[in-house]
Amino acid sequence: VPEDPVARGVILPAGGEMQVEGWLVSDRPADGSFVLWDASPLTKVLVREGAAGTLDNIVATEPGHARWEGDELVTCVAPGAWSVFGPPGARAASVVAWDERVRERGGHVVDLTHARGALRLRGPHVDDLLARLCAVDVGAREPLSALRTHVAGVVTDIVVLDEPMRSLLVHFDRSYGAYLAMTLLERGRDLGLEHVRPEPWRS
Amino acid sequence: MNAPRATTDAHEVGSRRLPPRAGEVIDRTASVSFTWDGRPVTAFAGDTIVSALSADGVRVFSRSFKYHRPRGVLTADVNDPNCLLTVDGEPNVRAAHRLVEAGMRVSSQGVWPSLRLDLKHATALTSRFTGPGFYYKTFMWPRRLRPLYRGVLRRFSPGGHVVGSGAAIGRYEKRYVFPDVIVAGGGPAGMTAALAAAEAGARVLLVESGHALGGHLRHGDAADLATLGVLRGRVAAQPAIEILTDAEVIGRYDGNWVGILERSPGGSIRERLSRGRPRALVVATGLIERPTVFRGNDLPGVMLSGAARRLVNLYAVRPGDRAIVLSSDPAGDAAAADLSSGGLDVTTIHAADGITVVAAHGRGRLERVTLSDGSSIEADLLVTATGWSRHSALLGSGGVAWGTAGRDAPAVDAMEPPDGLPEDVLVTGGLAGRGTLDELAAHAAEVGRAAARLADGGVIGTLSVALAPFESSAPYPDASDGIVDYCEDVSVADVIAAAAEGYDSIELMKRYTTATMGNDQGRLSAANLAAALARATGGELARIGATTIRPPSVPLSLGVLAGVPSTPVRETPMHAWHENHGARFVRTGDWLRPDSYGDPIAEVTAVRNRVGIMDVSALGKLDLRGPDVPAFLDIVYVNRWRSLPVGAVRYGVMVGEDGVVLDDGVTGRLEEQRFLMSTTSSGSERVRRWLEYWLQVERPDLRVWLTAMTDAYAAVNVAGPHARTLVARVAEGVDLSADAFPHMAVRPARVAGIEGCFMWRLGFTGELSYEIYAPAGYGLHLWERLMEAGADLGIAPFGVEAQRTMRIEKGHAVVGQDTDALTGPFAAGLGRIVPAGKPQAIGGPELDWQREHVDELPVTLVGLQTVDGAIVPEESSQIVDGSTIIGRVTSSRFSPTLSRSVSLALLRPDRAAAGSTVTIRLPGGAHVPATVQSSTVHLDRAGERMRA
């Protein structure tokens, strides 16, 4: 057991291991174009507004949408709460920065990096795969839209990224991650879905 | 499956194969070999199983349901009730529809010893005594013989059986589809409607039951084929149309929720259930040919005109040599022309001439036909074309009624507008009325455009094209014999007999005779059943009505309903380690938790004598922050919280407004305005909702932020005499001495190199115990470091079962197991933590009442010990006083520490005095004595171990 702590995401690494900011992830390169990778190392921060006032002008992201703010992706699936994603290893800085921005307006910030699991799905069959597991037509959603729905019976938030091709960020309560990842890989096998090494955030 | 073998010798493939036909769908360049009841058969790619066997001269494909009469082709399509076969272990395959594949093993089903010589046909000899209701009257008594009856009757069922595990059948999938418009039926009307809708901007899903678009045009004449070619070309060129062939819409539910069965959609998928909610559903399922009823109408060789035309025109099969065509419909004349062109000797009888068929004769197959003029003609093929029924099962199953006289009442010749047609459902094609191909196409196009308007948020509007009312050309049967329902072997005589017994309504007739309840779901039999009932009762056909049609409107396999098994489970961050070390898991809510690692007794011993670690990550965790958290906790817990200092932990119990225990757990004050609450694993979501309700609805004035953090932390319980030694090896920045870090305290710490951990001095086992919370991603690292650091201390992992034993030894109650839906804190032995006169607590008045009437509570929780300590009463065993139940055992295990049983029980207070003896009634009836203990705690009542 190494002295230095190592963090794990929601899927056991396949085809070799590598570390990203102290997180152990798969080092398997992609053979095809339809890929899934464990995005759990991403920084994840929850920003909420309180009864005292709105944060709309500060966070500037409407429900059902997402937007980039520098290296951070600000997403909103319900009024009054925003999930902010940033590169791995930036959680302390992100919490501090957001806390400074919203504290005066009665907002509240919680670090959910370890509480939420995240997966990235990218490739030409993303919509076909989701249609097997999700009753919402994700394929009809525009880039930078966000929604909360069930995927394989698990409450899941989906953000449509589509850069440079059809691409989703899905996130969920971490403990469902292994089940959800296995289900996606199993149901996507005939579509060529493969578990690969993570690509850089905003690649 | 092997690839088809190319061949140029057509004569190898079937002795009854015709020369090439204009519309044939077989590929004569590719032969396919399969076996039929063990015998090799060669077919062409594109053949159905039945067309291939027919080309090989096979006439009998099955035996009838009740009397095991031989049965042959009737419709030669997916609706054919006589051609259910077993294919590669998959029973009840619709062989008149399933295409041949190389290597297929096809067999008849439900026959003994063979299809040709089925001894079960002997039941026909007893037919005089086995009329309708025979089963109900005969196999009811004596009751004890019912299992025997069931076994015998099942042996006589012609339904097939899954061979082996069924894995060879293939996978069953489900998916969602998202079109704007679904068109059910890919005939000319359906194609035209789909085209119009797509050209108007809608995304269309066109669903056709056949293997290709076209409906009746596929087996039509040259003009039909030309029309079909044009339509297919236009559909193929329209990118907004997705085509599903070999598929059927199975039902339309509220909100236009539509299910579609796809057969063999690709790969190893046997069937797929697609579901969608289109803005508009266009039903263009057309008409279905109705069998004619006369004596012997189920003999092999008697078939509908559509069957004859499909065999001849699609598969180039010669279905007989000497044919009689009974025609009262243009389809009969077309069939006669097709048969003639195939070289058959054809005699056409026009019903309009006043002559009809009275009986068909033959031993196992058609040999002769008797006509109403008394003449008799030798024939091996009798084709009937005497009428059509609306193929309305889809609409009917969605609650749509046709006119006032019933949904399928065959006497309603005029096509009235359907009653109750939902606003998002449109009907076109033959189902909507009568017209030429051009008139039907104009109607379908207008319907398609209306569907597109609906999809775009508009309304249907008024359709300018109207079709003529549907007219039935069927001469309704006047026969006294003949099969009405092929699936259930119900004859006209059966209907007459049932009506004589008083079953004179169509719904009663259906249930008594089982007519229309077979695998065709009444598509072929409903009209003839109504006609036969009208004749039997002397009533008017128009008043007979129709049986209720229920979804699904298409027979489904259980496999496709189930789909891919997929039950969400939650795993802790250490799950992989547990799996790799032989853990047996128990499900708690959605969580999978290690129940044991093989020997829970040894795990208890390890904890009591050395040190053990348990994965308690599944415990619910709620983060509460804000200045008003103590006030909020005072409301939701029965005990006081304002005085809790930073670094301290307190046990709390939640009750509802009725004073019944909801959940329990500990809450620690991490910082001045930050608390972390733990809940039971399965109760965490319920507690979160409860707290959110109180924050959002009852007390929105409180400044409290509540966040579910169950998944944020991995949690490990380190318990046992060596727990402090072990923790000291991995923890930094915390004084572990008993004085500095006492029982019921919490400290921030760096553990195993992990920042941001919390350590709690508490546990459920009664031992010196710590719970270490680490950010979840580091859970496995923490676990492995603890196992490594404790190797010389004799560390062992322990699971839920060992913990359960130890918590019973310690007398800790579990909410939901040692309490029930009426148990308050006083009955659960927790009255000591409920302060008197505490304001604001939920359930306060109820708690006051419980305190004042503690002796009148229905039960109280006690410790119990069997007099014979070797006897471990099963949980939920009753505690009895004579015939009166005075309590029940709620938790019970054998304690390896005490070498005797340890139990908790809910017992009537007047029988719960310490030292009194009660009687436990074990499952099976044995009675054993047990002694009520002075406390629920069996081990270490002073708490010296846990406070060490």
Side-chain angles (χ1 to χ4, degrees), chain B residues 290-381:
Chain B
R290 188 184 309 158
T292 308
V293 181
F294 49 83
R295 184 152 55 88
N297 64 340
D298 63 334
L299 271 174
V302 180
M303 65 180 68
L304 302 175
S305 70
R309 299 192 75 190
R310 288 184 188 94
L311 287 174
V312 171
N313 293 338
L314 293 179
Y315 307 107
V317 171
R318 183 184 171 100
D321 293 316
R322 187 165 184 187
I324 297 173
V325 177
L326 173 62
S327 175
S328 61
D329 188 276
D333 298 330
D338 290 339
L339 292 169
S340 292
S341 71
L344 279 77
D345 178 8
V346 180
T347 301
T348 302
I349 299 166
H350 287 100
D353 296 336
I355 302 174
T356 189
V357 171
V358 174
H361 313 274
R363 287 179 60 84
R365 58 186 295 172
L366 179 68
E367 294 169 357
R368 186 167 53 84
V369 175
T370 299
L371 304 179
S372 57
D373 63 0
S375 62
S376 180
I377 306 173
E378 288 189 2
D380 61 357
L381 177 65

Side-chain angles (χ1 to χ4, degrees), chain B residues 283-535:
Chain B
V283 182
T285 45
L287 306 173
I288 193 165
E289 200 168 9
R290 188 184 309 158
T292 308
V293 181
F294 49 83
R295 184 152 55 88
N297 64 340
D298 63 334
L299 271 174
V302 180
M303 65 180 68
L304 302 175
S305 70
R309 299 192 75 190
R310 288 184 188 94
L311 287 174
V312 171
N313 293 338
L314 293 179
Y315 307 107
V317 171
R318 183 184 171 100
D321 293 316
R322 187 165 184 187
I324 297 173
V325 177
L326 173 62
S327 175
S328 61
D329 188 276
D333 298 330
D338 290 339
L339 292 169
S340 292
S341 71
L344 279 77
D345 178 8
V346 180
T347 301
T348 302
I349 299 166
H350 287 100
D353 296 336
I355 302 174
T356 189
V357 171
V358 174
H361 313 274
R363 287 179 60 84
R365 58 186 295 172
L366 179 68
E367 294 169 357
R368 186 167 53 84
V369 175
T370 299
L371 304 179
S372 57
D373 63 0
S375 62
S376 180
I377 306 173
E378 288 189 2
D380 61 357
L381 177 65
L382 171 58
V383 173
T384 67
T386 58
W388 300 84
S389 299
R390 291 177 289 258
H391 196 340
S392 60
L394 172 58
L395 288 175
S397 66
V400 177
W402 295 99
T404 56
R407 277 174 281 277
D408 260 3
V412 185
D413 288 346
M415 179 76 167
E416 302 170 31
D419 292 338
L421 192 66
E423 290 180 353
D424 42 16
V425 177
L426 301 100
V427 182
T428 189
L431 193 61
R434 183 167 51 90
T436 64
L437 203 56
D438 288 341
E439 290 168 338
L440 287 164
H443 185 268
E446 186 153 9
V447 163
R449 287 189 289 272
R453 284 198 297 277
L454 267 181
D456 198 33
V459 296
I460 295 175
T462 304
L463 300 184
S464 60
V465 179
L467 296 174
F470 173 83
E471 287 184 359
S472 170
S473 58
Y476 290 107
D478 195 25
S480 59
D481 201 358
I483 292 297
V484 170
D485 188 309
Y486 290 80
C487 305
E488 298 291 291
D489 238 1
V490 177
S491 67
V492 173
D494 291 331
V495 174
I496 293 170
E501 288 189 67
Y503 297 96
D504 53 1
S505 85
I506 191 78
E507 292 286 4
L508 288 176
M509 178 65 67
K510 166 186 170 179
R511 284 155 180 77
Y512 193 56
T513 63
T514 71
T516 73
M517 293 168 69
N519 65 68
D520 78 343
Q521 297 184 296
R523 291 181 186 188
L524 296 167
S525 55
N528 284 335
L529 175 68
L533 178 59
R535 182 178 183 279

Side-chain angles (χ1 to χ4, degrees), chain B residues 897-939:
Chain B
T897 315
L898 300 169
S899 299
R900 65 166 173 82
S901 70
V902 287
S903 302
L904 300 178
L906 284 171
L907 191 61
R908 232 168 56 187
D910 62 326
R911 307 301 301 275
S916 57
T917 301
V918 295
T919 301
I920 300 173
R921 184 181 188 277
L922 301 178
H927 286 195
V928 297
T931 307
V932 178
Q933 304 295 291
S934 59
S935 160
T936 56
V937 183
H938 292 267
L939 177 72

Side-chain angles (χ1 to χ4, degrees), chain A residues 5-165:
Chain A
V6 59
R8 267 93 169 180
V10 297
I11 327 176
L12 291 174
E17 298 173 345
M18 66 176 192
Q19 284 200 26
V20 175
E21 295 290 338
W23 290 75
L24 200 64
V25 292
S26 173
D27 192 26
R28 184 180 183 278
D31 290 331
S33 58
F34 188 29
V35 296
L36 171 151
W37 70 81
D38 191 346
S40 300
L42 291 177
T43 293
K44 312 174 200 86
V45 172
L46 175 67
V47 179
R48 285 182 293 180
E49 67 184 18
T54 177
L55 301 179
D56 286 350
N57 290 338
I58 297 174
V59 188
T61 308
E62 296 282 317
H65 295 85
R67 70 176 179 85
W68 288 102
E69 184 178 304
D71 265 356
E72 290 191 325
L73 180 70
V74 184
T75 73
C76 184
V77 296
W82 295 265
S83 294
V84 180
F85 296 86
R91 62 192 187 116
S94 181
V95 167
V96 169
W98 280 101
D99 190 58
E100 286 175 356
R101 291 172 66 177
V102 304
R103 181 189 293 254
E104 288 294 307
R105 303 292 293 270
H108 180 67
V109 178
V110 184
D111 173 19
L112 294 183
T113 299
H114 286 266
R116 302 285 288 174
L119 298 169
R120 285 289 301 273
L121 275 168
R122 193 184 67 194
H125 303 301
V126 166
D127 297 335
D128 290 340
L129 175 59
L130 263 290
R132 297 177 180 184
L133 298 163
C134 174
V136 173
D137 186 5
V138 178
R141 303 284 170 145
E142 296 293 321
L144 291 181
S145 57
L147 69 149
R148 176 167 294 165
T149 182
H150 271 78
V151 176
V154 174
V155 177
T156 303
D157 288 1
I158 298 176
V159 186
V160 181
L161 296 177
D162 284 3
E163 293 174 353
M165 64 172 74

Side-chain angles (χ1 to χ4, degrees), chain B residues 38 191 211 287 308 332 372 399 482 527 561 611 671 700 717 773 786 823 907:
Chain B
M191 285 193 285
H211 293 288
L287 306 173
S372 57
L561 286 175
V611 64
E671 299 166 11
N717 179 209
Y773 283 21
L786 286 166
T823 311
L907 191 61

